[in-house]
């Protein structure tokens, strides 16, 4: 992939930059600005080169409609504070406001288009529809920089189609993320431990296939663990369970056993009678979940066992909270795992939006880890061995 340095003299050029500014919001308050901070190095570099910087980004899922609650206004405001400069936010994506704001931009100044997902073409499955929108984006700029790592696994107009239409390069965030993922896939230092949790069970089961080949040990917690416990014939009560994945999971357990890899499951679980913040927590053995209760965290014994495994590793990749970490009664497992990652003598990587938010929420700082990935889905798809369209399109343009 080309880098920003390969794009030549950018002074006075209009540079369209796809960023991932999809931050969690509480009303119009940003609760974790990590993704905005991660966008700063590329934007600063472009400003210093004298480019007219035009940011393209999405927020939430407005699904092709203009919905004020998904306006990028809070992100534009925070970005302006962090860059200590004005960020002009257009009122539309490719309409008259966007045209005017980008035409009036001074060298080194920054503007932002409204949420690209206000445009139905952005996420269209129809290449011609996406292409039509990408043509309009392309008319606003001279070159394109792809720096929204969290969306590079999406074949979308501002990620994929736009890159094909202008001279294009990857930004520093995309390079940094890819570099770390490469270290996780090509000759990782061993022992290599992967910790998986979270709620998107069926999505994440797909990664296991590939990880079981590269990692030495897979420790499993979070919502997906109950499908593993059930696959071993244990009762999981009202816990999250993907019945249609039981056979697949049995296959993973056998595959691990035959290839000398370890899949480590929790031996105790924190349960509660209902999915509620103030539900009373109880610790039981993993095989003793009553039928009218559900598992909301791994237990203390398991937290300690996972922590021991992690601390002894040379490479650790962690995605997905061990329990409902947003609620104090069910956050201990996630905290134990996070703490252990900070003590790793080697490469420690946290991936996933909720995982990153959880570690910051629990009081850890970004510097406590080798890398906090801004893209959960994108990093998992990379580790699965899939081709990421937003990266592939940049690689094809190498000449
Ligand atoms: P990430 O964004 O880091 O990839 P996910 O989106 O897959 O992670 O999952 C995060 C969510 O998983 C959190 O909101 C957390 O509350 C939830 N979760 C974790 N463990 C459980 C569980 N045992 N039951 C239900 N939800 C869980
Ligand atoms: Mg998530």
């Amino acid at each position: 992939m080309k880098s920003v340095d390969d794009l030549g003299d950018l002074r006075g050029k209009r540079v369209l930059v796809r960023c991932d500014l999809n931050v969690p919001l509480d009303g119009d308050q940003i609760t974790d600005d990590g993704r905005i901070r991660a966008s700063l190095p590329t934007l600063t570099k472009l400003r210093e080169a004298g480019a007219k910087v035009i940011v393209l980004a999405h927020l939430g899922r407005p699904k092709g409609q203009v919905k004020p609650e998904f306006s990028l206004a809070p992100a534009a405001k925070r970005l302006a504070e962090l860059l200590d400069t004005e960020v002009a936010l257009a009122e539309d994506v490719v309409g008259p406001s966007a045209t005017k704001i980008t035409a009036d931009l001074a060298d080194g100044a920054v503007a932002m288009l409204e949420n690209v997902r206000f445009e139905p073409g952005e996420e269209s499955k129809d290449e011609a529809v996406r292409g039509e929108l990408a043509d309009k984006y392309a008319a606003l700029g001279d070159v394109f920089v792809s720096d929204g790592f969290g969306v590079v696994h999406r074949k979308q107009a501002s990620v994929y189609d736009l890159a094909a239409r202008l001279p294009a390069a990857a930004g520093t965030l995309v390079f940094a993320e890819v570099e770390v993922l490469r270290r996780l896939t090509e000759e990782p230092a061993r022992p290599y431990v992967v910790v998986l949790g979270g709620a998107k069970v069926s999505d994440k089961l797909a990664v296991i296939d590939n990880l079981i080949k590269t990692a030495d040990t897979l420790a499993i917690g979070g919502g997906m663990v109950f499908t593993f416990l059930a696959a071993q014939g244990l009762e999981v009560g009202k816990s999250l369970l993907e019945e249609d994945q039981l056979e697949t999971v049995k296959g993973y357990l056998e595959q691990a056993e035959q290839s000398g890899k370890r899949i480590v499951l929790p031996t105790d679980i924190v349960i509660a009678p209902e999915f509620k913040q103030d539900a009373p927590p109880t610790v039981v053995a993993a095989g003793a979940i009553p039928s009218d209760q559900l598992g909301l965290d791994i237990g203390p014994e398991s937290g300690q066992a996972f922590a021991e495994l992690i601390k002894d590793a040379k490479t650790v990749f962690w995605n997905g909270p061990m329990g409902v970490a947003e609620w104090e009664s069910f956050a201990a497992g996630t905290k134990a795992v996070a703490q252990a990652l900070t003590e790793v003598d080697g490469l420690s990587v946290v991936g996933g939006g909720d995982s990153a938010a959880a570690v910051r929420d629990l009081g850890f700082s970004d510097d406590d880890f080798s890398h906090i990935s801004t893209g959960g889905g994108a990093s998992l798809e990379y580790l699965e061995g899939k081709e990421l369209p937003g990266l592939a399109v940049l690689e094809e343009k190498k000449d």
Side-chain angles (χ1 to χ4, degrees):
M1 295 186 292
K2 276 188 182 161
S3 73
V4 170
D5 294 326
D6 299 322
L7 289 172
D9 185 7
L10 293 174
R11 185 157 300 276
K13 291 236 176 95
R14 297 169 304 161
V15 181
L16 297 166
V17 192
R18 179 58 159 105
C19 295
D20 177 8
L21 306 180
N22 190 24
V23 286
L25 287 175
D26 182 5
D28 58 4
Q29 291 301 308
I30 296 171
T31 53
D32 177 16
D33 66 1
R35 282 179 164 162
I36 302 181
R37 289 178 183 277
S39 306
L40 299 177
T42 297
L43 297 177
T44 301
K45 190 179 175 87
L46 291 168
R47 292 184 66 208
E48 284 170 0
K52 302 169 195 279
V53 181
I54 303 160
V55 177
L56 289 82
H58 76 282
L59 187 76
R61 304 209 152 136
K63 301 205 165 136
Q65 285 173 19
V66 179
K67 292 188 179 162
E69 67 269 33
F70 292 109
S71 167
L72 278 171
K77 182 166 166 263
R78 185 72 187 123
L79 181 61
E81 286 165 9
L82 292 168
L83 286 173
D84 196 17
T85 188
E86 208 177 300
V87 173
L89 175 65
E91 287 164 23
D92 49 32
V93 185
V94 284
S97 171
T99 306
K100 175 154 180 17
I101 278 181
T102 52
D104 291 348
L105 211 53
D107 294 0
V110 185
M112 195 187 289
L113 308 182
E114 248 307 357
N115 190 340
V116 291
R117 291 190 184 167
F118 284 175
E119 286 289 331
E122 174 66 16
E123 298 182 275
S124 173
K125 296 273 172 270
D126 184 334
E127 194 153 347
V129 176
R130 283 200 320 269
E132 209 176 301
L133 177 60
D135 285 339
K136 291 181 187 165
Y137 292 143
L140 299 173
D142 304 304
V143 296
F144 175 63
V145 174
S146 179
D147 208 29
F149 178 72
V151 285
V152 291
H153 59 314
R154 306 285 188 205
K155 205 169 194 177
Q156 297 176 346
S158 67
V159 178
Y160 177 79
D161 306 83
L162 176 56
R165 281 166 165 76
L166 289 177
T172 51
L173 174 63
V174 164
F175 268 106
E177 295 268 14
V178 170
E179 169 60 24
V180 170
L181 289 168
R182 225 174 246 152
R183 286 173 67 189
L184 290 174
T185 42
E186 292 166 17
E187 296 174 32
R190 297 186 184 278
Y192 175 16
V193 174
V194 171
V195 186
L196 288 180
K200 294 178 194 161
V201 181
S202 38
D203 281 9
K204 295 186 185 186
L205 285 175
V207 212
I208 292 179
D209 226 355
N210 215 31
L211 286 178
I212 226 167
K213 294 179 199 126
T214 47
D216 303 300
T217 305
L218 221 63
I220 303 203
M224 79 169 77
V225 83
F226 302 101
T227 307
F228 280 81
L229 296 175
Q232 294 188 319
L234 303 180
E235 163 77 62
V236 297
K238 297 189 292 176
S239 310
L240 272 186
L241 175 64
E242 303 255 326
E243 301 230 28
D244 56 347
Q245 300 288 334
L246 280 172
E247 289 309 312
T248 313
V249 165
K250 278 182 198 164
Y252 292 146
L253 291 167
E254 275 162 29
Q255 197 184 332
E257 182 146 347
Q258 281 161 15
S259 55
K261 304 294 179 84
R262 287 172 70 199
I263 294 185
V264 179
L265 300 176
T267 49
D268 57 348
I269 301 286
V270 181
I271 57 165
E274 49 186 335
F275 189 81
K276 255 174 83 177
Q277 181 154 15
D278 56 1
T282 317
V283 178
V284 296
I289 304 176
S291 60
D292 59 348
Q293 304 252 334
L294 72 167
L296 295 178
D297 193 11
I298 59 171
E301 182 184 274
S302 311
Q304 209 181 338
F306 284 19
E308 295 300 326
L309 271 176
I310 292 165
K311 283 187 230 169
D312 289 339
K314 287 275 177 276
T315 306
V316 185
F317 174 77
W318 169 36
N319 169 264
M322 295 293 99
V324 185
E326 298 90 331
W327 297 339
E328 214 188 324
S329 313
F330 310 105
T334 302
K335 194 161 190 174
V337 163
Q339 178 63 41
L341 255 88
T342 70
E343 292 166 31
V344 169
D345 179 18
L347 180 68
S348 57
V349 182
V350 182
D354 290 291
S355 309
V359 297
R360 293 186 184 119
D361 213 40
L362 290 168
F364 295 94
S365 107
D366 288 27
D367 300 337
D368 291 334
F369 309 92
S370 309
H371 184 72
I372 299 188
S373 175
T374 52
S379 43
L380 287 177
E381 287 197 16
Y382 188 103
L383 295 178
E384 259 173 73
K386 280 193 189 159
E387 180 180 271
L388 309 187
L391 298 181
V393 68
L394 298 174
E395 277 157 10
E396 279 158 21
K397 295 183 75 107
K398 205 155 51 187
D399 53 350

